[in-house]
């Protein structure tokens, strides 16, 4: 089956073509730079950018996959949750394509797609595998993480060519043959949740944040330090040369029996700390120490609660996805702890941590294979769709 998938729930316009679990293309046009000027995502701007970029991104995805619309067997799109006007652009466009082609259409829950994204891995023969391939192939097969610039979009010639062309580009595919029940951590700028995935397409949310998401905590504390939006990647970079024990910040709900999270107290604590120690921001090393200390507090809470949930639910596997899963300290700590405790760990590939249409397409394919009822072409978006 060859399926076209569209994702426009927030500030990434993404279109992917997947075939039988393989990612043939996954083009992502990120609006991060546009929203940076405003210190966060501006919903109306996001929707306008999706409108402007969707067709060129879709053309790129089809071209990179070497597929014409006539070869498509099905169409999928993110139905929710997300920004209403942003969702509308991709969802309605996908319904229109399905209508025009008379093909099945599937509306996908964005968070459910994140749950299965760690099962999409680089399947290229070595030496393309691993970190090196991850870097070189950071835009996945054929994708150039297309910028919003229309010139780039009109010719997003892949910097790393397809393996089928003999030029050594990584291949990504979903492999559910070794699927096992797992605890899945979804951690992004808008969400932080722990989900028990009992079997394919069967899951139960155990807990989520009662206030700020972990990514929001990175972004807002970073803003207090004078870092640009989104501050998460910058904190990650600065923390590398900082002392994580320099300052002691609270670990909210760390010892709480629930699987819920809370990060607003940590954010407030950083605010008061900086109010009382303003001179600290004049010292570059102190800023690095601050970044490392804030990061350590967030990472300790995420890792401890994830592992505790895995033990309590008797699963042997942990997965993680969402933008914050790009954080190197979180990846290393999850790796270290899972090794020590004997859990298998599947981290989403870095380029699949952030929002992308490949994960939407992979889940849609699984749903079609499982013969779930199709979505109607009259269905509406579900901006507040809560994962159960
Ligand atoms: O999943 P995502 O692209 O968008 C949604 O929020 O849905 O996640 C973006 C979030 C931002 O808060 C950003 O600061 C955070 O992920 N992030 C990171 C890193 N890379 C992205 N946080 C910490 N360390 C990183 N390396
Ligand atoms: Zn997401």
């Amino acid at each position: 089956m060859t399926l076209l998938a569209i994702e426009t729930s927030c500030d990434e316009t993404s279109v992917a073509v997947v075939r039988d679990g393989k990612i043939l293309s996954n083009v992502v046009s990120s609006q991060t730079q546009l929203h940076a000027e405003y210190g966060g995502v501006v919903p109306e701007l996001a929707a306008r950018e999706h409108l402007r970029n969707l067709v060129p991104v879709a053309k790129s995805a089809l071209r990179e996959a070497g597929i014409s619309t006539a070869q498509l067997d099905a169409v999928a799109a993110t139905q929710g949750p997300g920004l209403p006007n942003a969702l509308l652009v991709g969802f309605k466009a996908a319904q229109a394509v399905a209508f025009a082609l008379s093909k099945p259409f599937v509306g996908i829950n964005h968070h459910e797609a994140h749950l299965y994204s760690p099962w999409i891995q680089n399947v290229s023969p070595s030496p393309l595998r691993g970190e090196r391939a991850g870097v070189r192939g950071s835009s996945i097969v054929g994708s150039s993480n297309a910028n919003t610039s229309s010139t780039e979009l009109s010719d997003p010639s892949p910097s790393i060519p397809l393996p089928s062309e003999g030029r050594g580009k990584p291949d990504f595919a979903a492999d559910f043959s070794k699927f096992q029940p797992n605890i899945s951590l979804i951690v992004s700028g808008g969400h932080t949740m722990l989900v028990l995935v009992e079997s394919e397409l069967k899951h139960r949310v155990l807990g989520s944040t009662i206030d700020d998401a972990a990514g929001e905590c990175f972004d807002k504390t970073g803003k207090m330090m004078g870092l640009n939006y989104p501050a998460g990647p910058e904190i990650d970079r600065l923390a590398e040369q900082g002392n994580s024990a320099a300052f002691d910040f609270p670990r909210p709900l760390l010892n709480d029996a629930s699987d819920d999270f809370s990060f607003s107290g940590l954010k407030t604590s950083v605010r008061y700390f900086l109010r009382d120690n303003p001179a600290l921001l004049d010292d570059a090393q102190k800023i690095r120490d601050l970044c490392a200390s804030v990061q350590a507090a967030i990472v300790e809470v995420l890792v401890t609660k994830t592992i505790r949930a895995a033990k309590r639910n008797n699963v042997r596997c942990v997965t993680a996805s969402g933008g914050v899963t790009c954080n190197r300290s979180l990846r290393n700590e999850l790796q270290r702890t899972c090794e020590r405790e004997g859990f298998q760990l599947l981290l989403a590939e870095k380029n699949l941590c952030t929002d992308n249409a490949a994960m939407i397409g992979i889940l849609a394919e699984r749903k079609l294979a499982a013969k779930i009822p199709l979505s109607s072409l009259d269905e509406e978006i579900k901006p507040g769709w809560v994962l159960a």
Side-chain angles (χ1 to χ4, degrees):
M1 170 185 297
T2 307
L3 184 146
L4 182 86
I6 300 181
E7 153 66 38
T8 61
S9 65
C10 190
D11 61 343
E12 259 98 31
T13 315
S14 180
V15 180
V17 179
V18 304
R19 176 185 283 161
D20 304 330
K22 281 189 75 172
I23 314 297
L24 300 186
S25 66
N26 180 43
V27 178
V28 182
S29 169
S30 176
Q31 305 172 6
T32 305
Q33 276 188 328
L34 174 79
H35 298 288
E37 202 180 316
Y38 304 93
V41 177
V42 183
E44 276 313 305
L45 280 185
R48 197 186 67 190
E49 286 300 298
H50 287 313
L51 274 174
R52 197 155 67 177
N53 292 326
L54 186 56
V55 170
V57 167
K59 281 185 176 170
S60 295
L62 287 165
R63 188 167 54 232
E64 289 182 21
I67 293 290
S68 72
T69 48
Q71 292 171 279
L72 294 173
D73 300 308
V75 184
T78 305
Q79 189 166 10
L83 303 172
N85 288 347
L87 282 169
L88 265 179
V89 177
F91 190 72
K92 288 293 157 189
Q95 282 177 322
V97 174
F99 172 73
L101 298 175
S102 298
K103 296 295 176 189
F105 172 69
V106 197
I108 293 289
N109 180 301
H110 179 90
H111 291 145
E112 191 179 1
H114 270 303
L115 287 184
Y116 299 96
S117 62
W119 299 90
I120 308 171
Q121 296 284 334
N122 180 1
V123 292
S124 313
S126 55
L128 274 176
R129 294 185 97 127
E131 233 8 73
R132 188 170 151 259
V135 173
R136 294 184 61 212
S138 63
S139 48
I140 323 180
V141 179
S143 151
S144 30
N145 267 346
N147 283 323
T148 45
S149 118
S150 54
T151 36
E152 278 194 63
L153 284 171
S154 63
D155 182 21
S157 17
S159 47
I160 303 145
L162 294 161
S164 53
E165 295 167 348
R167 285 178 282 166
K169 189 163 184 186
D171 269 329
F172 286 84
D175 181 5
F176 292 100
S177 65
K178 297 189 184 74
F179 178 89
Q180 57 168 316
N182 61 79
I183 289 293
S184 194
L185 172 70
I186 303 178
V187 64
S188 72
H191 302 275
T192 305
M193 55 173 86
L194 280 172
V195 186
L196 171 63
V197 189
E198 290 164 273
S199 59
E200 268 189 76
L201 307 183
K202 185 163 181 255
H203 50 260
R204 182 161 54 90
V205 175
L206 302 173
S208 53
T209 182
I210 56 174
D211 42 53
D212 292 354
E216 206 176 342
C217 188
F218 271 111
D219 295 339
K220 289 185 174 163
T221 54
K223 190 175 178 188
M224 294 172 205
M225 301 175 212
L227 305 178
N228 288 332
Y229 171 87
E234 190 65 358
I235 291 183
D236 185 349
R237 195 182 65 78
L238 291 168
E240 201 172 16
Q241 286 161 16
N243 173 9
S244 60
F247 309 110
D248 189 20
F249 290 111
R251 271 75 169 149
L253 298 189
L254 181 68
N255 296 314
D256 187 82
S258 80
D259 292 314
D260 288 333
F261 296 94
S262 163
F263 290 103
S264 80
L266 169 58
K267 178 186 69 184
T268 308
S269 160
V270 174
R271 175 172 292 124
Y272 288 153
F273 178 76
L274 284 172
R275 181 196 64 190
D276 298 339
N277 302 276
L280 191 142
L281 294 180
D282 298 330
D283 182 332
Q285 184 52 42
K286 290 258 164 47
I287 294 178
R288 291 189 200 106
D289 292 345
L290 186 57
C291 287
S293 301
V294 171
Q295 178 176 275
I298 297 173
V299 167
E300 185 180 344
V301 171
L302 293 174
V303 174
T304 306
K305 299 201 75 154
T306 303
I307 299 298
R308 194 186 296 151
K311 285 183 179 169
R312 187 172 3 93
N313 288 282
N314 293 318
V315 299
R316 299 313 311 157
C317 178
V318 167
T319 73
S321 63
V324 177
T325 311
C326 291
N327 184 272
R328 288 169 300 170
S329 172
L330 176 62
R331 293 177 89 85
N332 291 339
E333 282 305 308
L334 278 172
Q335 189 77 51
R336 218 170 48 82
T337 315
C338 283
E339 263 170 33
R340 192 184 65 220
E341 303 282 349
F343 291 105
Q344 182 194 359
L345 175 68
L346 281 175
L347 295 168
E349 292 276 341
K350 282 197 174 177
N351 44 357
L352 292 171
C353 283
T354 46
D355 293 344
N356 65 87
M359 67 180 188
I360 305 297
I362 290 296
L363 177 58
E365 259 198 346
R366 304 302 289 178
K367 288 197 172 239
L368 286 169
K371 307 238 179 306
I372 53 107
L374 298 178
S375 310
S376 123
L377 293 183
D378 303 326
E379 255 180 63
E380 296 300 336
I381 53 164
K382 298 179 183 171
W385 194 359
V386 177
L387 194 67

